Amino acid sequence: MPIHQFKRTKIIATIGPASNSYETILGIIKAGANGIRLNFSHGTYEERIQQIKWIRKASEEYGKPIAIIQDLQGPKIRLGDFEGMIKVSTHQELLFRYKADYERSGEIPLQYDLSKKVKRGHHMYLFDGRIKTIITAVHANGLIQAKAENSGILIKRKGINLPDTDFGGDIITPKDSKDIAFGSNQDIDYVALSFVQAGRDVEKLKQKLSALGSKARVIAKIETKAGVNNIDEIFQEADVVMVARGDLAIETTPESVPIMQRKIIGLGLHYKKPTIVATQMLASMTETPEPTRAEVSDVATAVIVGADCVMLSDETANGKYPVEAVKVMKRVVLYTQENSDVKAMFTGIPKDKGRQFAISKAVIDLAKSVEATAIVAETKSGATAVNIASQRPDSPIIAVTSDKIVTNHLAIVYGVKSYLRPVDKFAATKLTNWLLKMKVLKKDDVIVTASGTYPGVVGTTDTIKVRVL
């Protein structure tokens, strides 16, 4: 594929029942997926082991690095089990208790003992926000009283959102800990932490991963009001930040989500951390082969604003058209990046400074002035490529590294195409010669290379070269 056909904003696809086969996973990767998300809220370890094998086999067969993402369930608070449905009226008093028996006591069961977390005056949104309540009393015996603010119905095991509740760093559940331990022995590139409220949550996960010897990087999912309020400190701790728009819209307000999405992307550029936009991007394609115009606009907007990745969830996990959804998303990404004459501007974001910024800017400015076809970054850790990508150059970025894990990490970074090559003083030259032979590049293409005096050593990028093929 010629380099001008590389998409800059990457695609992450979720594997589920609709895509649980080698053929479909290969099809999704060929269609344009750069990352594969494994949702640990569902499925068995046996299924995950098989899926990881399929992903790596497909990656090898197609010759394309793929980032595998383990998405932890987190403290997803749900209603417990009860028969039928519960009708709720406006101003009705509701009683809740951990593992209650609704038929015997009239108390609605919870799957989590919220009495230790919630307080009087906190809002509690039931059935994924369909019924809004406010907590009026919390008793020492674990009983929670709440008043309904609207009418509706409740069904067992539906989600609960608590926008005012601070979980005090207690967001990694026993199930998550077990899943983290499992993932540390698998070929996982990223671990996504759900319902992040503060930087300390990310720090705790990193400590767990380090203790287990895992090299996986951490994706912080922003889907709580506390996460929004502490976004700067979360960025400083996380490796990647995801705008998880579904729960975020319930925990805050739907109208605030587009603004927060843009702010998070802007902060990602400032902190040089990749960003992911997720949830219902092509939701109609779970049932139909074509998206709505609003969904196409949603994807295009994420591309224009500068997101590193756009993510598919139910569309590829449970939808009728998993491969087609990826193809449509790729078409939208490519058309938008080639035809949009709009560039996002972010206000209130601090100006970059320092050596890394200066080197990256010099590389990009030189590439622009010589009309370079591509920028080649020699990188051991991936940092050089990420730093250049954070300034969103017009030229594609070709990263060459000797670390296979780094090639997978870079798979979801904006504008970066990563290649694995041995440590070599002439790694960039040899790679561009090979790309010329493979017709990815062509004769007379101009290449700008960022490299270091000591190949394979982290933090030594200090040389910029121009080469005409």
Side-chain angles (χ1 to χ4, degrees):
M1 180 188 296
I3 197 164
H4 69 271
Q5 294 180 11
F6 289 173
K7 63 185 183 302
R8 295 170 195 164
T9 296
K10 305 299 186 66
I11 297 171
I12 297 170
T14 304
I15 298 303
S19 46
N20 190 30
S21 70
Y22 175 72
E23 292 73 22
T24 307
I25 288 172
L26 177 60
I28 283 171
I29 290 172
K30 285 184 174 181
N34 307 97
I36 299 293
R37 171 180 173 253
L38 304 177
N39 185 357
F40 273 68
S41 296
H42 312 287
T44 66
Y45 288 160
E46 290 73 21
E47 290 172 337
R48 297 300 179 224
I49 290 169
Q50 182 62 73
Q51 289 163 351
I52 291 168
K53 288 179 180 177
W54 283 337
I55 295 164
R56 291 305 181 211
K57 181 182 176 184
S59 170
E60 189 73 24
E61 179 177 329
Y62 193 56
K64 173 182 174 181
I66 297 292
I68 297 180
I69 300 166
Q70 177 188 31
D71 195 339
L72 303 175
Q73 177 175 288
K76 180 65 176 176
I77 313 302
R78 297 182 183 275
L79 297 172
D81 289 324
F82 50 84
E83 294 298 322
M85 65 177 68
I86 299 172
K87 291 184 178 180
V88 177
S89 302
T90 305
H91 304 311
Q92 180 180 345
E93 182 183 73
L94 302 172
L95 303 178
F96 299 87
R97 192 191 297 270
Y98 178 52
K99 293 184 176 179
D101 184 336
Y102 178 71
E103 284 72 28
R104 293 182 59 185
S105 66
E107 298 167 356
I108 299 170
L110 303 171
Q111 293 184 11
Y112 187 98
D113 188 0
L114 289 177
S115 66
K116 295 179 171 61
K117 301 292 183 182
V118 298
K119 297 178 181 179
R120 184 174 181 270
H122 282 191
H123 288 87
M124 180 165 63
Y125 299 151
L126 310 171
F127 198 167
D128 300 320
R130 287 176 174 83
I131 295 180
K132 297 182 179 181
T133 73
I134 189 163
I135 295 170
T136 55
V138 181
H139 300 275
N141 63 3
L143 181 68
I144 299 170
Q145 292 177 244
K147 181 182 287 188
E149 296 184 335
N150 64 288
S151 61
I153 62 168
L154 296 178
I155 300 174
K156 66 180 180 180
R157 300 182 186 178
K158 292 300 180 180
I160 300 173
N161 290 86
L162 299 150
D164 305 320
T165 304
D166 183 356
F167 282 83
D170 187 24
I171 69 163
I172 300 177
T173 67
K175 171 179 165 43
D176 292 336
S177 293
K178 184 180 177 184
D179 291 344
I180 292 164
F182 166 78
S184 70
N185 292 314
Q186 306 301 317
D187 193 359
I188 298 291
D189 300 302
Y190 289 95
V191 179
L193 183 60
S194 298
F195 301 101
V196 173
Q197 293 193 322
R200 65 179 181 272
D201 298 329
V202 178
E203 186 180 4
K204 284 185 178 181
L205 175 55
K206 285 189 168 183
Q207 289 171 352
K208 282 181 175 287
L209 292 171
S210 178
L212 291 165
S214 172
K215 293 184 178 179
R217 294 182 179 177
V218 174
I219 299 172
K221 295 170 66 178
I222 305 303
E223 49 195 332
T224 68
K225 188 161 73 173
V228 169
N229 293 338
N230 297 317
I231 190 65
D232 279 279
E233 67 176 62
I234 291 170
F235 256 110
Q236 292 175 52
E237 293 292 340
D239 299 301
V240 180
V241 173
M242 179 192 295
V243 194
R245 303 183 302 178
D247 281 294
L248 185 59
I250 299 169
E251 294 257 340
T252 56
T253 58
E255 63 271 19
S256 70
V257 174
I259 303 303
M260 181 48 56
Q261 175 176 313
R262 285 158 176 74
K263 180 179 179 181
I264 288 173
I265 293 170
L267 286 170
L269 300 181
H270 168 65
Y271 285 110
K272 302 175 184 64
K273 305 286 180 73
T275 52
I276 303 168
V277 177
T279 317
Q280 297 177 332
M281 301 218 76
L282 297 177
S284 67
M285 288 195 72
T286 57
E287 296 292 335
T288 63
E290 291 292 331
T292 66
R293 289 187 297 275
E295 289 166 346
V296 170
S297 180
D298 186 28
V299 175
T301 298
V303 174
I304 292 168
V305 175
D308 287 79
C309 299
V310 283
M311 192 173 93
L312 296 165
S313 299
D314 278 347
E315 300 94 332
T316 52
N318 300 302
K320 295 178 181 178
Y321 307 96
V323 175
E324 290 81 357
V326 179
K327 288 180 179 178
V328 166
M329 186 168 266
K330 181 179 179 180
R331 287 206 323 260
V332 176
V333 170
L334 286 173
Y335 188 89
T336 304
Q337 75 180 33
E338 295 304 319
N339 293 281
S340 175
D341 57 0
V342 176
K343 200 155 190 175
M345 299 291 290
F346 298 94
T347 59
I349 305 296
K351 297 292 184 183
D352 280 307
K353 297 178 181 178
R355 175 174 167 269
Q356 290 180 337
F357 170 76
I359 292 174
S360 299
K361 188 174 186 305
V363 170
I364 293 168
D365 289 347
L366 180 58
K368 190 171 183 178
S369 65
V370 299
E371 298 182 344
T373 304
I375 295 169
V376 178
E378 292 184 8
T379 180
K380 177 63 177 177
S381 66
T384 299
V386 171
N387 289 336
I388 295 171
S390 71
Q391 296 189 47
R392 299 299 188 256
D394 294 327
S395 302
I397 304 162
I398 297 172
V400 55
T401 179
S402 59
D403 191 329
K404 190 174 188 301
I405 294 175
V406 173
T407 65
N408 296 334
H409 286 159
L410 292 174
I412 61 170
V413 176
Y414 182 96
V416 176
K417 181 77 171 177
S418 55
Y419 292 89
L420 181 68
R421 292 292 186 275
V423 173
D424 190 312
K425 185 177 180 181
F426 304 104
T429 301
K430 290 180 178 179
L431 175 61
T432 49
N433 287 344
W434 180 79
L435 293 173
L436 179 63
K437 181 181 178 182
M438 299 302 292
K439 298 183 179 180
V440 174
L441 298 172
K442 63 183 186 297
K443 187 176 181 295
D444 295 326
D445 277 348
V446 179
I447 305 298
V448 173
T449 301
S451 59
T453 306
Y454 306 100
V457 179
V458 174
T460 61
T461 300
D462 60 1
T463 305
I464 303 171
K465 298 178 183 176
V466 177
R467 181 188 179 204
V468 181
L469 300 182

